[in-house]
Amino acid sequence: VAQYTAAEAQAVSGCLRAMNLIILESRVCHTRHINQIVERVCPLLVIPPASSPHSSPLPSPSRSPRVSPQNSPRGTTKSRDALSSQPPGRDWVKDEEEVDTHVLEGVESITLDDHSTPFEPETWKKALGFLRANALMCLQAITRATPKQLQGHWQVLLPTAPPSSSRQPGSLFLRGPSHSLVTSLIDDPIPRVRLVAATTLYHMLDSSKQLLLAAEQNLKARPSPYMPLSQTLGSIVVELHRALILSISVDRHVSVVVQSLKCLTVLVQATPYTKMQFGFLSRIIPQLQVLVGVSDLHISVPALACLAAVFSTVKPLMEVVYFLQAPPQPSPNQEGSSPSSSPKPSSHTPRQDLTIIDHLIALSMSRTLAIVVECMLCLSRVVRNYYFCLGNHWEAILELIERHSTNSDDPVRIHAVKLLEEMSKALLDAHENHEGQTTTPATAPDFSKPVPVLATSIIAPREVLQHMRSQLWIRVFQRTLDHTLHDQNITVRSTACSVLGNLDNDMVHAMPQHRERVVDELFRAIQDPAPSVRASALRSLGVFLQFSTFQMDALFLKRATDVVIRIVSTDDNVNVRSRSCWALANLCDFIATSLKNSTNNGSGNGGVVLNLP
């Protein structure tokens, strides 16, 4: 590639652009053609030297080029952990400000007039930049057209890690192709080429989530000529984590960082961390905390979405528990940085002496709608998997729900009620699973000893759990229930009915003063004109029919029977009828059990007698 002239590079770029359009239009690419394309496109990703071989050496530019991991600051022998703790004070550059970095504006902008030579350095560098961008766009077109057919070429397009015996400390990518999508993302001097590389990587990961579930990292495996697919995928996942963390921590172009955050979000969602080495998320969360406080919404909102993905793992992880409970510690770079290098504060940047939960709660008070919604979504994921880490934040989250449930914006009210639903569901599951389990204090693990990957054994003590449940339902009954069940938004009313379905018999029995009002509101919601609200209310009614407190109330049973049978026979919505059938089945189970118990006891009556139509 370095031997290409500007005209030759422009001609090859035109061919790649035509191939890209053909693949996108036809949505078909045969395996034989994919093999040939990958074989010829990968050498085009080579990053050329700073000057053309056909011209005299260029003078030293004001901005040092990023030509290779050995010559660039991103490829020095400094460890990646040190690079990932760079100070957050970056001079962010947007697309319209990229004047001195050879922005790609279109193939037509590279033309050779009568007054320019084919070997002009600026024209040559721009032509090769178009060549690399069009090569990446061609790979992206194949990924979007036939994603599974490109999975067999991952070892050529993505870096892999070698066995631990041959590791060399300080090298960024230790094995695999010398020029790949990751090297283009990290080391290419043109921001638009890095953006295209990140976009291509995003499409590859987004269409291969099922494949990444097979990834496994086994550091004790002996080197052998044959490496299983799971080990190869595990090595690729490891290097992708390191590369994306490096990209979001060092790159100063907004568009590249945003796309890298999207790639990292998909990677976190697809990675089976229970089969990987401990510590990946420990390096991701600090970088996301820094980016969340950036004033630009284009960066802070994707950072919050990525943080929500970290908290949304299938099972709770111990390294996330550590960060949720650990006090904030300033990084060494921040301690030794000068005042001039400190980051520019933003209107929604929280104080640096707060934990990550405090950050989310503080950002939820922002006036920016996107920030508030993403923060509520993050808190919902935290409550779902890590409720035992909230501690003193429980009261603050309840106040946050109470405040946002009356907000004028529909998305804020919807996410506030959904957060309430996640809290009630998490406490209900913890209450049901508490019996027969050994109570383990929810404290940070001791990292001087081997740390387990999963945190499923951590549950809140019984008295703490009981206090959290009582505090939640008292606030729901006294402050939140009325205006959420009467909200103008259908989703808010439907979710509020689902919250009532997370009650348990102990809470119903412990709060008799609210029982009648809750039942009246539930039967009123069953008459709602919206089918989703009726379905949620009938599901909660079916749950209530399983409680012994309501089973002893003959008036409630008669009222529920009349409503359920009427809806089964008259409602037009199939989902509503199915929920009413489920509630009717619960009622029949109770009647059958009551008749059986009364027969065994020798009593003449048949338990609770209902005048059924």
Side-chain angles (χ1 to χ4, degrees):
V1 176
Q3 302 299 324
Y4 281 177
T5 62
E8 292 171 344
Q10 184 178 359
V12 177
S13 297
C15 295
L16 290 173
R17 189 177 182 86
M19 189 182 303
N20 176 22
L21 295 176
I22 292 173
I23 295 174
L24 289 179
E25 288 294 332
S26 62
R27 306 296 295 179
V28 175
C29 190
H30 298 290
T31 304
R32 177 172 56 88
H33 296 157
I34 293 178
N35 296 337
Q36 296 175 356
I37 291 173
V38 173
E39 181 181 358
R40 287 164 173 78
V41 162
C42 287
L44 301 179
L45 301 180
V46 176
I47 301 175
S51 59
S52 170
H54 307 285
S55 62
S56 58
L58 291 175
S60 299
S62 57
R63 180 179 180 269
S64 58
R66 302 159 53 190
V67 295
S68 67
Q70 291 77 17
N71 298 333
S72 68
R74 304 188 182 197
T76 58
T77 56
K78 186 184 296 185
S79 65
R80 279 182 289 274
D81 292 337
L83 287 174
S84 63
S85 60
Q86 292 290 334
R90 275 180 273 179
D91 296 329
W92 296 103
V93 178
K94 295 186 178 181
D95 291 342
E96 59 270 15
E97 300 173 358
E98 298 173 354
V99 179
D100 59 340
T101 52
H102 314 292
V103 181
L104 303 180
E105 299 175 353
V107 177
E108 295 78 11
S109 62
I110 302 182
T111 56
L112 302 177
D113 52 24
D114 298 335
H115 303 285
S116 62
T117 63
F119 305 142
E120 187 176 351
E122 291 298 325
T123 304
W124 177 77
K125 289 192 295 183
K126 187 177 292 188
L128 291 186
F130 280 118
L131 179 61
R132 295 193 300 274
N134 285 317
L136 291 170
M137 288 294 294
C138 191
L139 294 176
Q140 183 183 144
I142 297 175
T143 304
R144 296 170 63 181
T146 56
K148 292 186 177 180
Q149 295 187 16
L150 196 64
Q151 293 175 357
H153 300 276
W154 274 28
Q155 288 182 277
V156 179
L157 300 174
L158 300 175
T160 57
S164 57
S165 59
S166 61
R167 289 177 182 248
Q168 298 177 0
S171 58
L172 181 58
F173 305 111
L174 301 169
R175 177 177 148 185
S178 57
H179 304 283
S180 63
L181 286 175
V182 171
T183 54
S184 298
L185 173 63
I186 299 298
D187 298 309
D188 199 286
I190 301 180
R192 193 61 58 87
V193 177
R194 301 199 300 272
L195 175 62
V196 176
T199 307
T200 305
L201 183 60
Y202 170 79
H203 286 289
M204 291 178 63
L205 296 176
D206 189 44
S207 60
S208 306
K209 292 182 179 179
Q210 295 295 327
L211 178 66
L212 291 177
L213 291 177
E216 182 181 5
Q217 187 182 16
N218 186 7
L219 298 180
K220 297 181 181 179
R222 296 181 179 180
S224 62
Y226 169 74
M227 179 177 290
L229 176 63
S230 60
Q231 296 289 334
T232 303
L233 292 175
S235 302
I236 291 175
V237 167
V238 171
E239 293 303 318
L240 287 179
H241 274 83
R242 293 170 179 168
L244 292 174
I245 292 173
L246 189 62
S247 177
I248 65 174
S249 61
V250 178
D251 206 302
R252 64 190 185 92
H253 290 82
V254 174
S255 56
V256 179
V257 174
V258 169
Q259 198 63 37
S260 297
L261 284 171
K262 293 181 180 179
C263 290
L264 189 59
T265 302
V266 176
L267 183 63
V268 169
Q269 292 173 346
T271 300
Y273 289 101
T274 56
K275 297 187 292 184
M276 307 298 292
Q277 187 183 8
F278 183 89
F280 285 102
L281 299 178
S282 303
R283 293 191 288 270
I284 295 177
I285 296 177
Q287 293 300 327
L288 296 179
Q289 282 186 273
V290 174
L291 296 178
V292 161
V294 176
S295 58
D296 193 342
L297 295 180
H298 294 90
I299 295 178
S300 57
V301 172
L304 285 170
C306 187
L307 195 61
V310 171
F311 295 141
S312 302
T313 52
V314 178
K315 296 181 180 179
L317 303 174
M318 284 300 299
E319 53 182 323
V320 180
V321 173
Y322 171 74
F323 268 95
L324 288 176
Q325 295 185 337
Q329 297 179 359
S331 62
N333 290 345
Q334 291 178 357
E335 291 178 352
S337 60
S338 60
S340 59
S341 63
S342 59
K344 181 181 179 180
S346 63
S347 59
H348 61 271
T349 302
R351 301 197 316 267
Q352 298 298 321
D353 58 343
L354 303 177
T355 62
I356 187 171
I357 301 296
D358 293 323
H359 283 188
L360 294 176
I361 295 176
L363 289 174
S364 300
M365 303 298 179
S366 172
R367 297 182 179 179
T368 307
L369 178 61
I371 293 294
V372 174
V373 169
E374 290 296 336
C375 287
M376 300 291 285
L377 186 61
C378 282
L379 289 174
S380 299
R381 302 299 183 263
V382 173
V383 168
R384 176 190 300 175
N385 291 330
Y386 305 96
Y387 77 95
F388 48 82
C389 297
L390 295 178
N392 299 328
H393 301 99
W394 193 258
E395 181 72 22
I397 295 177
L398 291 177
E399 293 179 357
L400 182 68
I401 293 175
E402 182 182 349
R403 173 180 178 179
H404 286 323
S405 60
T406 57
N407 196 286
S408 58
D409 295 320
D410 287 351
V412 177
R413 297 200 309 276
I414 291 173
H415 282 81
V417 182
K418 287 186 177 295
L419 176 57
L420 181 62
E421 183 185 15
E422 292 291 347
M423 294 176 72
S424 59
K425 184 66 169 62
L427 293 185
L428 178 62
D429 293 340
H431 175 69
E432 293 177 349
N433 299 330
H434 200 281
E435 299 297 333
Q437 292 189 4
T438 304
T439 302
T440 304
T443 57
D446 183 8
F447 283 87
S448 61
K449 301 178 181 179
V451 180
V453 176
L454 295 178
T456 53
S457 60
I458 299 181
I459 57 177
R462 186 183 301 272
E463 58 276 5
V464 175
L465 181 61
Q466 182 65 25
H467 174 71
M468 295 169 69
R469 293 169 60 225
S470 302
Q471 195 177 24
L472 170 67
W473 289 112
I474 288 175
R475 280 184 172 268
V476 169
F477 292 149
Q478 294 181 352
R479 305 181 183 180
T480 311
L481 182 64
D482 291 336
H483 56 262
T484 53
L485 288 176
H486 296 83
D487 196 275
Q488 297 180 355
N489 188 276
I490 297 176
T491 306
V492 174
R493 299 199 305 271
S494 175
T495 309
C497 293
S498 300
V499 170
L500 294 178
N502 294 328
L503 272 167
D504 60 272
N505 186 65
D506 294 340
M507 284 290 103
V508 172
H509 183 73
M511 299 179 180
Q513 67 276 16
H514 303 290
R515 192 184 309 162
E516 183 177 357
R517 184 167 61 92
V518 170
V519 171
D520 292 339
E521 291 290 347
L522 191 62
F523 279 109
R524 190 201 61 81
I526 293 176
Q527 310 300 326
D528 195 281
S532 60
V533 179
R534 298 199 303 273
S536 299
L538 284 167
R539 186 256 177 192
S540 300
L541 180 62
V543 173
F544 284 4
L545 289 171
Q546 297 175 336
F547 297 162
S548 60
T549 304
F550 288 115
Q551 289 174 355
M552 301 305 296
D553 189 349
L555 181 61
F556 171 80
L557 293 177
K558 178 63 170 63
R559 189 178 179 184
T561 303
D562 295 339
V563 170
V564 168
I565 293 178
R566 178 178 55 81
I567 291 180
V568 167
S569 57
T570 60
D571 200 281
D572 297 334
N573 188 274
V574 63
N575 189 28
V576 175
R577 295 199 304 271
S578 64
R579 295 293 179 91
S580 61
C581 289
W582 180 75
L584 184 60
N586 291 342
L587 177 61
C588 294
D589 287 342
F590 160 67
I591 296 175
T593 303
S594 178
L595 291 173
K596 182 178 179 180
N597 293 337
S598 62
T599 303
N600 294 336
N601 295 333
S603 58
N605 57 7
V608 179
V609 179
L610 301 177
N611 296 322
L612 298 179

